C-alpha cells in the first residue's frame, strides 16, 4: 500500500484506507522518530515489550497507555518532566543511523545537516492553555511549522475561503496555537490577513477601525470577543457588507451564540454569513474546522486530517475506545510531529456526537469528522464540589442555557460567598447585558425559569448592565480572553474551593470556558 498516494488523497479515503494509512504511518513514525529519539517512549516501549511492529491495525493502539497533561506537569524532584517528551536525537545516534548515512552519501553532509536541523531543532514554542493546570511549553521544529502551514491551508479550504478574501485575525496575541495557526492560514492560503491581537492589544475601537478600513470577508477569533466587536460595530453604525465567514475558536461556540452572530452580521449589512467553528489544541499542533452548511442546517462537524493524526473517542471512566457515533473524550496521537510529542493524549474534551466516518453531507469529503458539541471536562470536575443549594453544577450546561436564551446578549456567571464569608453558602450571581427593548423583569423571570427547569438551581441574583459595564466585567481589552465565569469566593483553606479545586487555590480565579485552541 502506497502511503504517499493515500496521504495525497486524505479528503476522500474510505474507512479501510484510513485505517491502513494511519497504522502504516504510525509504525513508520514510531520506527523513524519516536522510538529512537523520545526518552519517555523509548523507556515505556522497552518496559512494555512493545515495538513499532506491535501496531498492525488501529485497534492495536489499545496496547499503549494514555497520557494526560498531569503526566507532563512538574512533580517534586522532577521539575521538567515535559522535556522527557521532546524528540531529541543525539548527534552520535544520528551518525549511526543508516538512513542518515545513506542521505549524506547521496546529497552531501552539509545538506543533510541542514535538513536534520530543520526536522529536529526546536525553533518555536507555544504554551498549552486551559485552567485546570499550569501552562506547559510545547516545542515546535521547522518540520512542525511546515505541517502547520499545510494544515492551516487545508482549514481555509474546508471553511470555503477564497484567496481574494481579506481576513481579520482577532485572536489574542499570545504564544498560543490559535493566533499562530491563523497567522499561518493567511500566509499558506495567500489571503491578505491582518492580525490585530484581539481586544487586549488594539481594543475594541482599534479592531473596529480595522473592520472599517479592511472590509474583511473573514473575521476569526474567540466568540465572546467577536460578539462584543460586532455588537459595538452595530451601535456605531459600521457597515461590513463583504463579511462572508465568522470563524470561531478558543472557546465553545453554542448554537445560540452562532445565531446571535448571524443576526449582528445582518445588521452590518452582510447577507450571507456562515459562522464556522474550529477545534484545536497546542498538543496536537493542529486545528480542524467546519465546512459552510446550507442555510439553517446544523454544523458539519470538524473535518480531520487522517494523515497527520489519529483521533480516538474513549469512555472517560473506563478508557475503552468507543465505536463511531458514541459521545466521549477526545484522544489524540500525532503521526508526523517533532519537538514535543505525546501519544494517545487525553484532551479532557468531550464531544457529544463522537467521531464519524460518514461522508460530510455538505462538502462530501470522507475524512473523519468530530460531530456535536465539545465541552471541557474541567467544567464539571473543578466545580463538582461547589454546592449550590446542595446541587452539583455542570457549567457547560449553564453556558448553553444562557447562550440560547432570547434577549440575552452577553453574560457572566459569578460565584461568591454570601457576605464574602468563607464559611457561608455559595452564591451564584448572573450578570446580563440584554436587548434594550426587552423588559428587565420579564427577562429575569424567563432566565430564572430556564435555569430552574433544566438544572434545579436558580441564580441568587440576576443583575442587568449596559454594554460598557459588561465589557468592564468581562475584561474586554484588559484580559487576554473575556471572562464568562468568575470565581470571587474568598480564599480559605476551610472552604471547599480552597481545599479541592485548582480554581479555589488561586483565589479570584478566572474560570471562563476555554477550549485550548488559543
Ligand atoms: Zn464538509
Amino acid at each position: 500500500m502506497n502511503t504517499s498516494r493515500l496521504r495525497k488523497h486524505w479528503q476522500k479515503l474510505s474507512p479501510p484506507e484510513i485505517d491502513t494509512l494511519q497504522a502504516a504511518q504510525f509504525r513508520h513514525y514510531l520506527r523513524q522518530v519516536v522510538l529512537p529519539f523520545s526518552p519517555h517512549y523509548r523507556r515505556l516501549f522497552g518496559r512494555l515489550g512493545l515495538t513499532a511492529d506491535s501496531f498492525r491495525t488501529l485497534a492495536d493502539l489499545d496496547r499503549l497507555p494514555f497520557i494526560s497533561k498531569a503526566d507532563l506537569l512538574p512533580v517534586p524532584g522532577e521539575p521538567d518532566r515535559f522535556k522527557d517528551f521532546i524528540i531529541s536525537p543525539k548527534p552520535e545516534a544520528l551518525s549511526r543511523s543508516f538512513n542518515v548515512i545513506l542521505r549524506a552519501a547521496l546529497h552531501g553532509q552539509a545538506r543533510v545537516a541542514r535538513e536534520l536541523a530543520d526536522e529536529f531543532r526546536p525553533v518555536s514554542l507555544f504554551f498549552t492553555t486551559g485552567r485546570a493546570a499550569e501552562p506547559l511549553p510545547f516545542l515546535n521544529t521547522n518540520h512542525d511549522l511546515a505541517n502547520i502551514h499545510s494544515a492551516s491551508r487545508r482549514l481555509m479550504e474546508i471553511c470555503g475561503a477564497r484567496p481574494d478574501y481579506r481576513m481579520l485575525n482577532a485572536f489574542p496575541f499570545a504564544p498560543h496555537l490559535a493566533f499562530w495557526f491563523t497567522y499561518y492560514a493567511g500566509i499558506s492560503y495567500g489571503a491578505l490577513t491582518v492580525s490585530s491581537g484581539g481586544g487586549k492589544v488594539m481594543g475594541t475601537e482599534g479592531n473596529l477601525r480595522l473592520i472599517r478600513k479592511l472590509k474583511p470577508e473573514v473575521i476569526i477569533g474567540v466568540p465572546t470577543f467577536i460578539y462584543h466587536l460586532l455588537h459595538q460595530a452595530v451601535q456605531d453604525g459600521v457597515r461590513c457588507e463583504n463579511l462572508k465567514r465568522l470563524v470561531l475558536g478558543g472557546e465553545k461556540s453554542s448554537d445560540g451564540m452562532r445565531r446571535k452572530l448571524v443576526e449582528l452580521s445582518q445588521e452590518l449589512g452582510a447577507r450571507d454569513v456562515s459562522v464556522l467553528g474550529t477545534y484545536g489544541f497546542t498538543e496536537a499542533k493542529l486545528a480542524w474546522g467546519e465546512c459552510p452548511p446550507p442555510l439553517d442546517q446544523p454544523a458539519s462537524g470538524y473535518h480531520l486530517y487522517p494523515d497527520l493524526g489519529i483521533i480516538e473517542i474513549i469512555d472517560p471512566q473506563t478508557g475503552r475506545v468507543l465505536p463511531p457515533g458514541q459521545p466521549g473524550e477526545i484522544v489524540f496521537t500525532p503521526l508526523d510531529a517533532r519537538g514535543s510529542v505525546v501519544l494517545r493524549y487525553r484532551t479532557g474534551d468531550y464531544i457529544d456526537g463522537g467521531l464519524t466516518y460518514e461522508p460530510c453531507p455538505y462538502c462530501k469529503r470522507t475524512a473523519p469528522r468530530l460531530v456535536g458539541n465539545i465541552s471541557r471536562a474541567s467544567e464539571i470536575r473543578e466545580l463538582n464540589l461547589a454546592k449550590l443549594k446542595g446541587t452539583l453544577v455542570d457549567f457547560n450546561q449553564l453556558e448553553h442555557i444562557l447562550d440560547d436564551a432570547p434577549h440575552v446578549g452577553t453574560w457572566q456567571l459569578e460565584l461568591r460567598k454570601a457576605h464574602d464569608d468563607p464559611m457561608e453558602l455559595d452564591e451564584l450571581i448572573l450578570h446580563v447585558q440584554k436587548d434594550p427593548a426587552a423588559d428587565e423583569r420579564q427577562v429575569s423571570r424567563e432566565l430564572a425559569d430556564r435555569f430552574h427547569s433544566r438544572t434545579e438551581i436558580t441564580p441568587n441574583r440576576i443583575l442587568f448592565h449596559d454594554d460598557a459595564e459588561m465589557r468592564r466585567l468581562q475584561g474586554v481589552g484588559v484580559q487576554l480572553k473575556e471572562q464568562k465565569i468568575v470565581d470571587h469566593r474568598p480564599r480559605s483553606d476551610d472552604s471547599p474551593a480552597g481545599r479541592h479545586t485548582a480554581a479555589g487555590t488561586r483565589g479570584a480565579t478566572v474560570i471562563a470556558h476555554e477550549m485550548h485552541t488559543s
Side-chain angles (χ1 to χ4, degrees):
M1 182 61 69
N2 180 345
T3 50
S4 62
R5 186 190 67 81
L6 291 179
R7 282 195 76 167
K8 196 165 150 220
H9 297 287
W10 66 272
Q11 303 188 55
K12 36 188 172 187
L13 299 176
S14 65
E17 284 175 319
I18 291 170
D19 192 298
T20 304
L21 169 71
Q22 293 188 323
Q25 264 192 255
F26 188 55
R27 284 193 301 275
H28 178 80
Y29 180 51
L30 287 175
R31 210 176 280 132
Q32 299 292 331
V33 178
V34 178
L35 296 182
F37 306 132
S38 166
H40 172 83
Y41 285 108
R42 196 171 47 234
R43 279 199 311 274
L44 180 75
F45 274 61
R47 202 166 66 230
L48 299 177
L50 294 173
T51 68
D53 290 319
S54 310
F55 301 90
R56 303 314 303 172
T57 68
L58 286 190
D60 294 327
L61 273 177
D62 226 9
R63 305 177 69 174
L64 192 61
F66 297 114
I67 196 134
S68 67
K69 199 164 181 178
D71 299 307
L72 283 81
L73 289 171
V75 291
E78 291 180 86
D80 291 326
R81 285 205 295 171
F82 73 94
K83 286 188 181 165
D84 217 22
F85 294 86
I86 299 169
I87 300 292
S88 35
K90 300 267 183 301
E92 318 85 81
L94 283 178
S95 67
R96 285 197 305 272
S97 151
F98 174 72
N99 183 18
V100 171
I101 294 167
L102 184 69
R103 278 161 63 194
L106 288 173
H107 306 297
Q109 292 218 349
R111 175 167 153 191
V112 172
R114 215 167 42 240
E115 286 171 0
L116 289 173
D118 276 348
E119 183 171 356
F120 292 113
R121 187 189 301 144
V123 294
S124 104
L125 186 161
F126 300 148
F127 282 94
T128 60
T129 59
R131 59 176 189 281
E134 293 305 306
L136 279 169
F138 243 66
L139 299 171
N140 303 297
T141 75
N142 268 322
H143 185 90
D144 293 313
L145 297 184
N147 277 338
I148 288 179
H149 196 276
S150 74
S152 63
R153 188 188 159 86
R154 291 178 182 187
L155 182 69
M156 294 289 272
E157 282 168 9
I158 285 163
C159 292
R162 294 191 345 212
D164 61 333
Y165 280 3
R166 285 156 299 183
M167 182 156 76
L168 174 61
N169 170 12
F171 275 119
F173 171 69
H176 294 160
L177 181 76
F179 178 90
W180 291 102
F181 200 88
T182 308
Y183 166 84
Y184 279 104
I187 289 181
S188 62
Y189 206 59
L192 177 64
T193 302
V194 181
S195 296
S196 70
K200 194 175 177 184
V201 174
M202 295 189 67
T204 310
E205 273 311 310
N207 281 273
L208 276 179
R209 274 198 303 278
L210 281 178
I211 290 181
R212 283 199 184 91
K213 283 211 173 71
L214 189 69
K215 302 266 177 218
E217 279 84 1
V218 184
I219 301 177
I220 176 162
V222 180
T224 314
F225 179 68
I226 300 226
Y227 177 88
H228 278 294
L229 185 61
L230 298 192
H231 187 75
Q232 190 63 45
V234 168
Q235 306 264 297
D236 293 3
V238 174
R239 304 292 292 169
C240 192
E241 290 96 340
N242 291 346
L243 197 59
K244 302 278 192 301
R245 304 276 184 275
L246 289 171
V247 184
L248 311 177
E251 64 180 28
K252 98 175 92 180
S253 42
S254 63
D255 292 343
M257 174 58 96
R258 289 169 188 235
R259 199 179 54 243
K260 286 172 196 169
L261 290 174
V262 168
E263 286 164 11
L264 287 172
S265 308
Q266 285 165 348
E267 292 189 58
L268 297 175
R271 291 175 185 285
D272 189 20
V273 170
S274 299
V275 180
L276 305 175
T278 61
Y279 171 62
F281 44 95
T282 308
E283 296 87 339
K285 310 181 185 200
L286 292 173
W288 304 277
E290 297 171 343
C291 70
L295 191 66
D296 295 330
Q297 292 297 304
S300 67
Y302 305 99
H303 297 63
L304 305 176
Y305 323 124
D307 55 328
L308 292 175
I310 301 168
I311 294 261
E312 298 170 279
I313 304 298
I314 63 162
D315 177 324
Q317 256 72 50
T318 64
R320 196 168 59 86
V321 178
L322 297 169
Q326 297 273 315
E329 184 178 349
I330 299 169
V331 172
F332 179 77
T333 299
L335 288 171
D336 196 28
R338 304 295 187 270
S340 307
V341 165
V342 284
L343 307 178
R344 296 199 96 203
Y345 181 75
R346 285 185 69 153
T347 58
D349 294 336
Y350 289 74
I351 177 105
D352 64 11
L355 186 66
T356 177
Y357 288 86
E358 297 291 320
C360 174
Y362 311 138
C363 71
K364 314 296 180 205
R365 288 179 179 91
T366 60
R369 282 171 298 133
L370 282 171
V371 288
N373 291 312
I374 295 178
S375 48
R376 292 283 297 153
S378 55
E379 292 301 323
I380 307 162
R381 274 188 210 149
E382 284 188 9
L383 292 165
N384 254 349
L385 297 154
K387 293 201 173 168
L388 294 150
K389 299 180 183 169
T391 310
L392 298 180
V393 180
D394 173 2
F395 276 74
N396 284 309
Q397 194 190 8
L398 302 192
E399 285 197 48
H400 279 295
I401 292 173
L402 287 164
D403 278 339
D404 290 340
H407 312 302
V408 171
T410 51
W411 51 264
Q412 184 182 62
L413 280 167
E414 183 189 16
L415 275 164
R416 295 197 83 94
K417 285 281 178 192
H419 318 298
D420 285 332
D421 177 350
M423 308 306 286
E424 270 282 6
L425 288 169
D426 287 332
E427 283 189 334
L428 183 66
I429 299 156
L430 171 59
H431 301 273
V432 174
Q433 171 255 320
K434 65 165 184 61
D435 177 352
D439 177 63
E440 252 181 43
R441 265 181 308 184
Q442 194 190 336
V443 174
S444 221
R445 206 166 41 240
E446 281 173 8
L447 281 171
D449 286 349
R450 275 176 170 259
F451 265 75
H452 192 69
S453 65
R454 298 193 213 173
T455 67
E456 298 175 4
I457 61 162
T458 41
N460 298 69
R461 268 170 287 160
I462 299 178
L463 303 175
F464 291 94
H465 306 285
D466 63 14
D467 305 349
E469 176 61 7
M470 206 61 207
R471 280 200 297 274
R472 194 190 64 77
L473 284 177
Q474 289 195 331
V476 177
V478 179
Q479 301 288 337
L480 203 53
K481 201 182 278 183
E482 292 67 40
Q483 305 186 357
K484 290 163 75 180
I485 302 172
V486 289
D487 190 343
H488 287 153
R489 289 173 296 180
R491 228 179 113 170
S492 159
D493 291 333
D494 293 332
S495 75
R499 212 164 51 230
H500 297 293
T501 70
T505 55
R506 279 182 276 148
T509 304
V510 183
I511 47 173
H513 190 100
E514 52 195 338
M515 197 131 61
H516 38 188
T517 2
S518 66

